Amino acid sequence: MASSMESLVSDETQYLKSFQLFLDRSSEHQCMQNFIDGILPDILARVGDGKSSLDVMGIGSGGGEIDLQILSKMRLKHPGVLINNEVVEPSGGMIHNYKVLVSKTPNLENINFTWRKMTSSEYEDHREENNVDTKMDFIHMIQMLYYVSDPGATVKFFRSLLKPNGKLLIILVSGASGWSELWKRYRKELCKSEISQYISTGDIKDYLDAEGIKYQSYELASSMDITECFTEGDEKGELLLDFLTEVLNFNKTASPDLKAGVMALLRDPVCSTEIDGRIIFNNNLGAIVVEP
């Protein structure tokens, strides 16, 4: 029965397993690294010009792989400058992985790390309760706005923390991706958590446009092999299906009609392309750079 469905984020262990499989099956990190290598350096060059120190913040940074790529580019654009890097991440396991990665990564001189095990809303409360008034030169929110109750309010808050030349980078699935098509069709049936929003860059652009906020946007090509999702009983396929629908044990708890509809849509050309017998899902991302 559909009514028995639970949000995937309610089970952190299962979520992390499905997320790791998603990374293995998709070009997600490569796609973002291409953006970080090709486009982001020019953006970072305009941040904190001439300052002796820079304040950087990652919201929902996960295990830190992308953070360290960003920090590497920041160091190249601002050689010798002290970087204070603050990390807001609710998963203790992810923070542990981040710390281990830092311990193994060379050339992190002049970078101070502060880790805060909290959600973005808990961080907002932390600043208010402790009268924190520090401002940021660069804030990035990569694939995290799905997990806040009010994405627009979250963007507004963190934009308010920017210094005059600061930038806020948001990366989400593109409004032209298979994700967006899946959510348009099945948002009501699949969204089972108040802290899980099915949003794309299209939704964020709508908010920014309505508020008259300046931004630049970029489309980032990415794909994901979801062939295993169509093999009945395949453990990895079921994990991927959980990640795609963000429903815990979707294959076992979704109604037959919902499951049939979702599976048909995932194979539809609006979501996926068949290449050499493999089903390749459109995992395109979008990057938005918001001005102060």
Side-chain angles (χ1 to χ4, degrees):
M1 295 286 291
S3 61
S4 67
M5 295 194 306
E6 292 182 56
S7 172
L8 179 61
V9 296
S10 67
D11 185 327
E12 183 177 358
T13 300
Q14 192 81 342
Y15 172 79
L16 292 178
K17 279 176 63 179
S18 64
F19 176 64
Q20 188 56 55
L21 184 61
F22 159 70
L23 293 181
D24 293 341
R25 292 292 185 274
S26 75
S27 59
E28 175 99 349
H29 272 186
Q30 185 59 50
C31 154
M32 283 195 277
Q33 189 169 331
N34 290 343
F35 169 78
I36 290 165
D37 289 342
I39 298 171
L40 189 61
D42 288 342
I43 296 167
L44 296 178
R46 301 194 296 271
V47 169
D49 188 36
K51 294 180 180 177
S52 60
S53 67
L54 292 169
D55 294 300
V56 177
M57 178 180 290
I59 313 297
S61 291
E65 297 91 345
I66 298 298
D67 284 34
L68 295 192
Q69 293 280 346
I70 292 172
L71 291 170
S72 173
K73 299 301 178 187
M74 184 77 80
R75 288 180 77 243
L76 287 173
K77 286 298 178 183
H78 303 278
V81 171
L82 175 67
I83 298 174
N84 298 307
N85 184 56
E86 192 166 358
V87 178
V88 178
E89 166 57 50
S91 168
M94 286 294 192
I95 288 178
H96 171 76
N97 292 345
Y98 196 144
K99 291 180 177 179
V100 170
L101 185 62
V102 166
S103 72
K104 295 178 178 178
T105 303
N107 303 318
L108 296 180
E109 302 84 7
N110 294 338
I111 302 178
N112 296 325
F113 290 88
T114 302
W115 286 277
R116 302 194 185 279
K117 184 181 178 299
M118 54 183 70
T119 65
S120 61
S121 60
E122 287 170 346
Y123 179 73
E124 290 187 46
D125 294 340
H126 161 77
R127 285 185 67 99
E128 183 175 346
E129 291 165 5
N130 294 278
N131 295 316
V132 179
D133 59 3
T134 54
K135 298 285 187 176
M136 295 289 149
D137 295 289
F138 187 71
I139 301 173
H140 55 86
M141 311 165 76
I142 297 175
Q143 296 287 48
M144 64 73 62
L145 280 174
Y146 318 111
Y147 308 112
V148 300
S149 58
D150 188 337
T154 301
V155 171
K156 180 179 181 179
F157 171 77
F158 285 102
R159 177 174 175 257
S160 75
L161 303 187
L162 292 175
K163 297 178 185 178
N165 285 337
K167 307 288 181 191
L168 168 61
L169 169 65
I170 299 166
I171 294 181
L172 290 169
V173 299
S174 166
S177 68
W179 294 99
S180 184
E181 293 295 333
L182 179 64
W183 297 342
K184 284 176 194 172
R185 192 84 57 90
Y186 289 107
R187 184 190 306 257
K188 184 178 178 182
E189 293 89 340
L190 295 177
C191 194
K192 295 295 172 185
S193 170
E194 289 182 1
I195 59 161
S196 175
Q197 305 292 325
Y198 290 166
I199 63 167
S200 69
T201 52
D203 299 302
I204 299 302
K205 288 177 186 178
D206 288 344
Y207 162 75
L208 295 172
D209 290 338
E211 295 294 319
I213 297 170
K214 291 183 179 179
Y215 63 91
Q216 296 85 45
S217 65
Y218 308 86
E219 287 292 308
L220 316 178
S222 178
S223 62
M224 171 169 54
D225 189 333
I226 62 170
T227 309
E228 290 158 305
C229 293
F230 299 93
T231 302
E232 192 67 36
D234 188 290
E235 182 183 356
K236 290 183 177 178
E238 292 190 1
L239 267 179
L240 272 180
L241 203 50
D242 285 5
F243 192 82
L244 281 161
T245 60
E246 210 169 286
V247 172
L248 184 65
N249 299 318
F250 175 82
N251 196 49
K252 297 181 178 67
T253 61
S255 70
D257 285 350
L258 177 59
K259 181 181 173 184
V262 167
M263 300 306 288
L265 182 59
L266 288 175
R267 289 196 85 131
D268 191 284
V270 299
C271 285
S272 301
T273 305
E274 188 166 342
I275 302 174
D276 297 329
R278 310 296 294 181
I279 309 300
I280 307 301
F281 184 75
N282 180 335
N283 187 56
N284 285 2
L285 305 180
I288 299 173
V289 180
V290 183
E291 303 292 332

